Amino acid sequence: MSCIKFGKYEPQREIIISDKENGNSMQHLYWFSNGYGAGVYQNRYSKGQEAGLYELAVLRDVKLGYSTIIGYLSADEVAEHLSRIESLPDLKKRVV
């Protein structure tokens, strides 16, 4: 299984999905102990793929946060966003 490193970021948990049959697409899923996660995508539908860039979506309780999708990210920018998501307050401790 291949691994793409985003900057100096070291994930707590990472799942990599590659699909070479549909345009060499890939998806990285990250899950953090605070209840958040992130999906990092590079496929024919992601914003920035044609320039070799990535799209990131915030995941919350294993659900995609459609209001939080960021495209056209470099690997270093992905690493920065992953660190920010991992640093968010714990979802289980949030007061609603």
Side-chain angles (χ1 to χ4, degrees):
M1 183 178 278
S2 65
C3 181
I4 292 179
K5 188 166 183 162
F6 295 107
K8 295 181 181 179
Y9 185 74
E10 293 290 336
Q12 290 177 354
R13 185 172 154 214
E14 176 184 21
I15 300 168
I16 303 170
I17 301 167
S18 295
D19 182 0
K20 297 196 184 293
E21 292 180 21
N22 292 314
N24 200 22
S25 64
M26 71 169 171
Q27 173 182 7
H28 292 249
L29 299 175
Y30 299 88
W31 302 107
F32 307 113
S33 59
N34 61 2
Y36 287 94
V40 179
Y41 310 94
Q42 191 179 65
N43 59 43
R44 62 182 168 183
Y45 304 109
S46 62
K47 297 174 184 174
Q49 178 273 339
E50 65 283 347
L53 300 174
Y54 301 92
E55 182 176 275
L56 180 141
V58 177
L59 305 172
R60 180 179 165 168
D61 291 329
V62 194
K63 296 177 187 163
L64 181 61
Y66 284 103
S67 63
T68 312
I69 296 177
I70 308 163
Y72 304 99
L73 297 173
S74 68
D76 288 337
E77 291 170 320
V78 168
E80 184 178 316
H81 285 290
L82 291 173
S83 293
R84 287 180 182 171
I85 296 165
E86 188 175 17
S87 298
L88 289 171
D90 194 323
L91 281 174
K92 297 173 187 111
K93 295 179 181 176
R94 282 183 58 177
V95 177
V96 180

